[in-house]
Amino acid sequence: MATPERLTLLLGGAALGAVSMAAYHKMNQPRPMAAAVRPSPPPPSMPAPGPQGKPAVADPRENARHILPFGFPGPVSDIVYRNAYVTSYNRRDRNPNWVAEHLTKDTLKRADGVDRQNSKFKEDDQIPVQFRARLSDYYQSGFDRGHMVPAADVKNSQLSMDETFYLTNIAPQVGEGFNRDYWAHVENFCRSLTSKFDNVYVFSGPLYLPHQEADGKFYVKYQVIGNPPNVAVPTHFYKVIMTESKGKYSVGAFVLPNQRIADSTPLEAFKVPLDAVERGTGLTFFDRMGPSKASVPDLCKQTKCEIVLSKFHKAKKDAAALPS
């Protein structure tokens, strides 16, 4: 298992991999399309004269009208707003870039009649069809449909709980030992923070980190599930946490490998600097805090950072310890 220093190094040089384009293209031959009428590009415009009759330097944005007369190709990150979370969806990897939530004691209260059994996984119709993660991608893939915002965080509304089952809030996770265990413990840790802090803000998402192989070189390799291959399997996942009480803040960042993790592993073994997650994801967290962001206290110095087993997992662990 990677040490915190090793994770920081890998995060600093993280890059996204790609499946074989030739193989992918073969499995995704485009359907014939009707011939389109090509619009005429806009006529060139001359820059206005500058001071003393000298020609003015053309605005590069004006030049873009002639370079891209038929539109900007992207990339596009779809922002989807739900009742209990906001997500940024990556069309290429068919996974979220990040999913954000805000936890308080009140939001975690269970409402009458709310039951996870009433919720079903579903494709997100807010995403264009050609870029959607599909339910069939996960079928017999060997991976769980892992929540970024867990259903247990939104027991105050059946609608909000149902919305956590959209595939824009889901990524492929190893089941036994991770999604069903250690990742769930980290989720429970996040919820437990509301007993000490008034507001808990959590960002969750995937990472695709390089791995050093026998030749000493680093490679980014990850599986892609679906037929044809459609959804990237992250190598790691992150949780970035900001807490607030009475105007005082603290922050913590954790990166976990997408693999079995023993319950005995300390949570702080996965603690990394916030800027390491930012380098690895290409994201900027809490930018509205301005320069003060750099001096926000360490969450793990304000409270004990340790996994918290739910009643369900405690019972599961106790049952496993009983003699057969």
Side-chain angles (χ1 to χ4, degrees):
M1 185 176 295
T3 64
E5 293 81 4
R6 183 67 161 177
L7 279 171
T8 301
L9 171 65
L10 295 177
L11 282 161
L16 296 178
V19 296
S20 166
M21 288 304 294
Y24 191 84
H25 178 73
K26 184 177 180 181
M27 301 181 74
N28 288 271
Q29 289 297 322
R31 298 176 182 176
M33 297 180 64
V37 179
R38 180 179 178 182
S40 300
S45 59
M46 298 298 293
Q52 299 179 352
K54 294 181 180 179
V57 177
D59 184 342
R61 289 169 295 183
E62 182 68 20
N63 290 341
R65 294 179 61 245
H66 310 290
I67 298 170
L68 296 166
F70 310 115
F72 180 72
V76 173
S77 291
D78 297 283
I79 305 298
V80 181
Y81 298 89
R82 302 293 185 198
N83 285 290
Y85 66 89
V86 180
T87 181
S88 166
Y89 179 77
N90 187 302
R91 292 183 173 188
R92 189 192 72 170
D93 299 324
R94 274 73 170 181
N95 284 323
N97 296 305
W98 52 262
V99 187
E101 59 179 325
H102 175 205
L103 304 177
T104 68
K105 285 182 179 179
D106 287 339
T107 65
L108 292 176
K109 291 178 180 178
R110 179 185 287 278
D112 292 340
V114 178
D115 191 338
R116 180 190 173 108
Q117 298 301 316
N118 297 328
S119 302
K120 306 294 182 196
F121 286 100
K122 47 195 172 185
E123 299 174 13
D124 197 330
D125 57 10
Q126 292 196 35
I127 306 302
V129 174
Q130 69 184 117
F131 301 122
R132 284 181 201 168
R134 299 185 295 261
L135 293 171
S136 59
D137 293 327
Y138 286 85
Y139 179 67
Q140 295 186 334
S141 68
F143 292 95
D144 282 6
R145 293 168 290 197
H147 283 70
M148 298 299 98
V149 169
D153 286 3
V154 287
K155 293 179 289 190
N156 58 354
S157 160
Q158 187 65 53
L159 172 61
S160 296
M161 180 174 285
D162 291 347
E163 289 180 340
T164 68
F165 286 80
Y166 278 113
L167 294 187
T168 41
N169 181 48
I170 301 295
Q173 290 185 330
V174 168
E176 197 71 31
F178 189 68
N179 176 54
R180 305 171 205 171
D181 297 286
Y182 205 92
W183 183 252
H185 306 333
V186 179
E187 293 170 339
N188 207 29
F189 164 70
C190 293
R191 288 189 289 273
S192 74
L193 292 172
T194 62
S195 64
K196 181 170 183 177
F197 303 100
D198 295 336
N199 296 285
V200 179
Y201 302 91
V202 184
F203 286 86
S204 307
L207 282 161
Y208 308 84
L209 298 183
H211 172 76
Q212 189 173 24
E213 299 201 347
D215 61 2
K217 298 179 181 179
F218 286 87
Y219 299 87
V220 177
K221 292 184 178 180
Y222 54 84
Q223 186 177 344
V224 182
I225 60 173
N227 186 19
N230 198 48
V231 178
V233 179
T235 63
H236 295 72
F237 288 89
Y238 68 84
K239 288 271 186 192
V240 170
I241 306 166
M242 173 77 80
T243 66
E244 184 275 332
S245 282
K246 298 177 175 63
K248 295 183 179 180
Y249 299 86
S250 62
V251 66
F254 304 89
V255 171
L256 293 79
N258 190 10
Q259 63 187 45
R260 281 176 170 264
I261 302 175
D263 287 350
S264 58
T265 309
L267 177 57
E268 289 206 40
F270 305 109
K271 182 173 170 287
V272 299
L274 176 61
D275 71 321
V277 179
E278 291 180 328
R279 292 196 305 271
T281 58
L283 304 173
T284 302
F285 298 97
F286 317 123
D287 62 315
R288 290 187 180 177
M289 296 196 75
S292 63
K293 170 180 162 181
S295 58
V296 174
D298 183 346
L299 171 64
C300 297
K301 291 182 179 178
Q302 307 303 310
T303 191
K304 193 170 184 179
C305 289
E306 61 181 353
I307 60 170
V308 180
L309 271 64
S310 65
K311 292 180 180 179
F312 168 79
H313 285 95
K314 284 180 180 178
K316 179 180 174 183
K317 192 172 185 178
D318 291 344
L322 294 175
S324 55

